């Protein structure tokens, strides 16, 4: 068993060398998966660009009616044609999203947290594989706390969802969570993303940080970037641009869309960066043009 002291500092990321074992699919690490998995991943990652704009509104599973999500039945119909994937709980989808939504579904399947006790690191699997199949989920999202007190239980949750998903060809999205006392460092995210990928997750969601391109290079599956706390639209578009430039295959933003005064235009501006190679400055100009009074 390798001990920590014996581990050499990683250094050869070959940043400029494309992933070698991609086979015939536009999704990193998916070459050896079966048809059903590839179909679900193609519902998530646009075959033309290989990228995705996920709109995350699963916050209610532990935050309740967080600002901006007070009325999903009003907000989601406005946004659904402007994103590639909806990331949501089964409760939100069944009550507030019409089943005529033709794009990707990232189904939140872990739960157990709330803003009351603030310990977000002890979750359980709340949605079984049969309900994920009923929901026609294109991936199942599991919160994974590496380095926090809930590490073992969250890795157990992740592994159970991956095992069930592999039985029924539904990919797993490993959501890298950061405990409130943990630092968002490149070293932490490098460790967490690689562990979750090695455990078998097919997509990983993490946060942007310094040396992000090394995190991407060391991760054998696609990374999408969460927006995190609300920023100014300009700063959020800069973070989106830096994420894509660093090798992310998309953004999975929530608060930076639904807490914007112009969520539709914000989603479109992110889409310009993700699918049309806009710079942050071009996307910001686009957003200003679309929102000027
Ligand atoms: C909430 C989540 C969200 O899906 C994720 O954090 C993206 O949302 P935001 O951009 O608001 O951070 O995992 O638990």
């Amino acid at each position: 068993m390798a001990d920590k002291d014996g581990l050499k500092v990683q250094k050869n990321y070959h940043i400029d060398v494309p992933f070698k074992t991609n086979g015939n699919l536009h999704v990193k690490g998916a070459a050896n998966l079966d048809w059903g998995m590839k179909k679900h991943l193609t519902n998530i990652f646009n075959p033309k660009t290989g990228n995705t704009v996920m709109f995350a509104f699963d916050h209610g599973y532990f935050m309740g009616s967080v600002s901006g999500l007070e009325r999903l039945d009003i907000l989601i119909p406005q946004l659904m044609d402007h994103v590639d994937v909806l990331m949501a709980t089964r409760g939100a989808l069944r009550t507030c999203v019409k089943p005529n939504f033709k794009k990707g579904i990232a189904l939140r399947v872990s739960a157990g947290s709330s803003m009351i006790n603030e310990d977000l690191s002890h979750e359980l699997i709340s949605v079984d594989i049969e309900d994920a199949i009923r929901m026609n989920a294109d991936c199942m999202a599991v919160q994974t706390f590496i380095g926090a007190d809930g590490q073992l239980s969250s890795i157990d949750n992740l592994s159970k969802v991956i095992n069930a998903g592999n039985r029924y060809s539904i990919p797993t999205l490993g959501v890298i969570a950061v405990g409130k006392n943990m630092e968002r460092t490149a070293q932490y995210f490098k460790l967490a993303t690689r562990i979750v990928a090695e455990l078998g997750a097919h997509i990983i969601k993490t946060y942007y940080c310094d040396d992000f391109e090394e995190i991407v290079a060391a991760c054998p599956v696609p990374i999408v970037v969460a927006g995190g706390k609300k920023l100014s639209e300009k700063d959020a578009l800069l973070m989106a641009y830096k994420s894509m430039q660093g090798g992310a295959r998309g953004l999975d933003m929530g608060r930076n869309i639904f807490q914007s005064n112009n969520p539709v235009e914000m989603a479109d501006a992110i889409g310009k960066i993700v699918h049309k190679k806009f710079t942050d400055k071009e996307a910001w100009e686009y957003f200003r043009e679309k929102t000027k009074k």
Side-chain angles (χ1 to χ4, degrees), residues 55-63 87 108 120 123 141 143 173 175-176 205 207 225-230 239 252-259:
F55 171 53
F57 58 102
D58 58 325
H59 305 60
Y61 91 93
F62 74 100
M63 296 172 85
M87 179 168 176
R108 163 66 65 175
L120 305 185
E123 295 200 344
Q143 210 79 346
L173 165 61
V175 179
I176 304 298
K205 171 162 71 169
Y207 295 92
V225 171
K229 289 188 173 60
K230 178 74 176 69
M239 187 259 288
D252 178 25
M253 283 200 175
R255 286 160 287 183
N256 280 286
I257 292 177
F258 64 70
Q259 290 178 346

Side-chain angles (χ1 to χ4, degrees), residues 57-58 72-73 76-77 80 86-101 105-109 126-137 170:
F57 58 102
D58 58 325
L72 296 177
D73 58 314
I76 304 310
M80 60 204 288
L86 297 181
M87 179 168 176
T89 62
R90 60 181 169 182
L93 288 168
R94 284 202 165 103
T95 57
C96 300
V97 180
K98 287 190 179 149
N100 62 352
F101 178 66
I105 292 290
L107 182 65
R108 163 66 65 175
V109 298
S126 57
V127 180
D128 64 19
I129 188 69
E130 286 80 7
D131 217 27
I133 294 168
R134 283 186 212 103
M135 300 295 291
N136 200 19
I170 299 181

